[in-house]
Amino acid sequence: MVRKCEHIISSKDGKRGIYVDSINKKEILGYLCQDDRHKKKFKYITEIILGGFRNTDLYDKEDINVKCRNVTAMKFFKGQENDRIYCREQNTSTGTHIVVASILYRRKKNNELSAKEIALIEKVGGYDYEI
Amino acid sequence: MTMKFKDKYTVSNEFENLFSFKDEKEELDHEAHMIMFRFLSELENFSGTKSLKRKELSAKLGVSPSYITQLYKGDKLLNFTMLAKIQKAFNITFEITARNNNPSSAAGNTRNKTRAGNYTYQLSEDKAVYRKNKKGKL
């Protein structure tokens, strides 16, 4: 399924970028902008992605099966609200590594993935963004 | 002065508000966390992908697993004593590199050289790498 997305931020060398799904943009931005606490966490996650740093408590792969090899999750307040923004990673023809914030999922309850969560992650894995 | 998001990255106008800081205190706090995340990222890379469990790490450092989680989540900040403990526990040394944010300005590098006189000084384009000299003087 080809979907549209919008540019949020990218590194100056153009090698990494973060985008947001056009359809879910309003919901995702509403979530991120709701207060300083959420904005602060998003700034950390942004710099971790753009800097290519490793921090699995804030951003990690969700490649639970072959259908979702390129799915990742931005993790907000692990152990508290436990919200997630599931993302699709893809590379452009020019070699830019893109992370698209696709779907917001609030209050992940357990460490184990529920059938609903697996379905959601697989859904994101099936997205193909036009960049 | 710390670098703002707009200086470091290309931000679409519509989303500028997401990356703004209320004041310098907030900006410096963010930068402090990013410095910590670089150390933690380096530690994870060094320790191997999945091999380093939180329990093992906390046991090595003599702290609780929840403290380690708080660090990785950005809820707490590392201090230099803890960094020293990490270095000792893993028998590693973090190499520190200072880079001028404005590559066209050489003045900053010259000042750094004077300040860190007991270190050998190497310049590679806009990058200054400090290493302990042979005598090991600080």
Side-chain angles (χ1 to χ4, degrees):
Chain A
M1 187 200 290
V2 178
R3 292 170 73 94
K4 291 196 170 162
C5 60
E6 292 172 38
H7 174 262
I8 298 179
I9 188 168
S10 51
S11 56
K12 289 274 187 195
D13 63 8
K15 285 184 179 167
R16 286 171 184 265
I18 300 175
Y19 287 65
V20 64
D21 182 286
S22 298
I23 294 170
N24 295 325
K25 176 181 150 187
K26 198 177 166 191
E27 187 190 11
I28 291 171
L29 281 187
Y31 173 78
L32 297 175
C33 294
Q34 64 185 290
D35 56 29
D36 289 343
R37 188 169 159 257
H38 285 75
K39 277 166 73 174
K40 182 178 171 179
K41 201 66 92 174
F42 184 63
K43 280 184 214 148
Y44 293 160
I45 295 170
T46 296
E47 290 223 76
I48 281 165
I49 293 170
L50 297 181
F53 303 125
R54 187 175 159 76
N55 186 327
T56 53
D57 279 50
L58 295 177
Y59 183 71
D60 199 11
K61 286 191 178 298
E62 291 283 343
D63 52 347
I64 47 169
N65 61 42
V66 287
K67 290 181 189 168
C68 27
R69 284 220 170 110
N70 298 312
V71 181
T72 53
M74 296 179 181
K75 301 177 183 180
F76 291 83
F77 315 110
K78 208 176 161 189
Q80 298 163 63
E81 289 98 317
N82 224 14
D83 300 329
R84 299 276 191 271
I85 293 177
Y86 289 118
C87 307
R88 175 77 160 81
E89 286 189 335
Q90 61 185 69
N91 294 313
T92 66
S93 53
T94 54
T96 306
H97 181 72
I98 301 290
V99 173
V100 185
S102 301
I103 290 178
L104 171 67
Y105 181 69
R106 289 172 189 264
R107 295 190 186 274
K108 186 180 174 307
K109 284 174 187 143
N110 301 310
N111 282 337
E112 298 294 315
L113 288 167
S114 67
K116 186 186 168 190
E117 285 156 6
I118 292 170
L120 202 60
I121 294 167
E122 286 179 350
K123 190 175 162 188
V124 175
Y127 287 171
D128 183 19
Y129 285 97
E130 188 183 281
I131 295 162
Chain B
M1 185 181 265
T2 57
M3 278 184 93
K4 290 190 179 356
F5 267 81
K6 268 174 73 179
D7 301 327
K8 273 199 267 187
Y9 306 111
T10 306
V11 186
S12 291
N13 292 341
E14 192 186 348
F15 304 104
E16 274 181 15
N17 180 44
L18 261 177
F19 303 106
S20 60
F21 294 105
K22 272 188 300 187
D23 49 34
E24 197 183 7
K25 186 175 175 285
E26 190 182 81
E27 195 180 335
L28 288 171
D29 180 68
H30 172 83
E31 202 52 43
H33 280 84
M34 290 320 301
I35 294 169
M36 173 178 74
F37 290 144
R38 275 180 238 151
F39 277 106
L40 295 177
S41 171
E42 202 53 41
L43 178 65
E44 286 223 356
N45 289 335
F46 183 84
S47 315
T49 326
K50 299 274 179 189
S51 60
L52 190 69
K53 298 270 186 293
R54 290 289 153 83
K55 268 189 181 173
E56 294 171 35
L57 178 59
S58 58
K60 271 178 179 266
L61 301 177
V63 295
S64 66
S66 67
Y67 174 75
I68 302 290
T69 302
Q70 284 174 317
L71 291 177
Y72 276 94
K73 280 162 55 182
D75 295 341
K76 279 210 160 90
L77 268 178
L78 260 180
N79 61 31
F80 283 103
T81 307
M82 193 52 67
L83 267 184
K85 279 188 183 178
I86 292 172
Q87 288 202 144
K88 193 177 176 188
F90 292 92
N91 193 24
I92 57 172
T93 303
F94 289 108
E95 287 198 349
I96 300 158
T97 304
R99 190 181 60 227
N100 198 324
N101 290 330
N102 180 6
S104 60
S105 162
N109 285 334
T110 311
R111 279 198 299 273
N112 286 344
K113 186 180 179 181
T114 312
R115 229 180 269 157
N118 288 327
Y119 288 80
T120 54
Y121 184 73
Q122 301 173 352
L123 253 186
S124 168
E125 294 174 2
D126 64 328
K127 219 173 171 186
V129 180
Y130 300 92
R131 292 181 200 285
K132 216 172 180 180
N133 68 15
K134 282 180 185 170
K135 290 175 185 172
K137 286 179 186 170
L138 285 172

